Amino acid sequence: MGRWDYLAMKTDDHVTKELLNSDFNELKFAAKRLINDATKLGGLGFGTSFLKWVASFAAIYLLILDRTNWRTNMLTALLVPYIFFSLPSVLFNFFRGEVGTWIAFIAVVLRLFFPRHFPDWLEMPGSLILLLVVAPSFFAHTLKGSWVGVVVCLLIGCYLLQEHIRASGGFRNSFTQSHGISNTVGIVLLLVYPVWALVLRLVA
C-alpha cells in the first residue's frame, strides 16, 4: 500500500513539473512574439510605451487587489511610486492637471471633515493622486523620464516578487496556488517594463 502511495505522489510531482515547464515555455513564446510584434509595429520605442501601459495597469490591478482581497503583509504602498514613475505621459499629464487637482481636493476634504465616510481602500489611490499633483517638477519630469525612474521601478518589482515568493512558501507555490498565480503574473509584469527599458538604454 505504501509503495502505491509513493508511486502516486511521484506521478503527481511529475505531472506538476510538466505543467510548470509547459507554462514557462508558453511565457517564453509569448515574450518572443511580443518583442517581434512590437518591433514590426513601431520599433523598439513602441515596445517601451506599450510595456509602460501594461506595467501601469498591472500595478493598479495589484493595488486594487491588495485593497480588496489580497491582504498581504508586503509593503504594497511601494506600488504608488511605481505607478508614479511608470504611468504613461497621457494619463500622467491628465491627472497632474486640473482634473487631478479637483480629485485631490475632494479626497483631502473628505479625509479631514468626513473621516467615517472615507473608506480605507481609497487611501492608496488618494495618496497616488496627491503625489501626482504636488510632486515637484524635478520628480515629475527630470527623474520620471530618466534611467533613475526605471531603476526605481525595477527595484520595487524585484522587492515585491521576492516578498510574494517568500509569503507563498517558495517559487513553486507562487505559481501553483490558486490565489497566487494572478498575483505572481501581475508582479512579473511589473518587471518586464523596467528590464526592457534598461536593456534599450544599454544597447542605444
Side-chain angles (χ1 to χ4, degrees), residues 53-114:
W53 281 91
V54 171
S56 297
F57 281 112
I60 292 168
Y61 163 74
L62 290 172
L63 197 61
I64 293 170
L65 204 63
D66 181 59
R67 296 292 95 188
T68 53
N69 61 358
W70 193 8
R71 296 298 177 186
T72 178
N73 292 326
M74 295 189 321
L75 191 59
T76 49
L78 289 172
L79 289 168
V80 171
Y82 184 97
I83 296 170
F84 176 86
F85 284 112
S86 67
L87 200 65
S89 300
V90 176
L91 293 177
F92 186 85
N93 293 329
F94 177 76
F95 286 113
R96 191 166 167 80
E98 195 70 20
V99 174
T101 306
W102 275 102
I103 295 173
F105 174 74
I106 293 169
V108 170
V109 169
L110 285 175
R111 190 72 180 87
L112 282 175
F113 301 108
F114 307 99

Side-chain angles (χ1 to χ4, degrees), residues 122 134 143:
L122 270 180
V134 305
L143 291 184

Side-chain angles (χ1 to χ4, degrees), residues 110-158:
L110 285 175
R111 190 72 180 87
L112 282 175
F113 301 108
F114 307 99
R116 293 181 182 177
H117 300 285
F118 193 84
D120 293 338
W121 59 269
L122 270 180
E123 286 188 8
M124 287 294 184
S127 301
L128 174 61
I129 296 295
L130 278 173
L131 186 63
L132 290 172
V133 172
V134 305
S137 59
F138 176 71
F139 287 97
H141 301 294
T142 306
L143 291 184
K144 187 180 186 308
S146 70
W147 62 271
V148 177
V150 177
V151 169
V152 170
C153 291
L154 181 62
L155 292 175
I156 292 172
C158 290

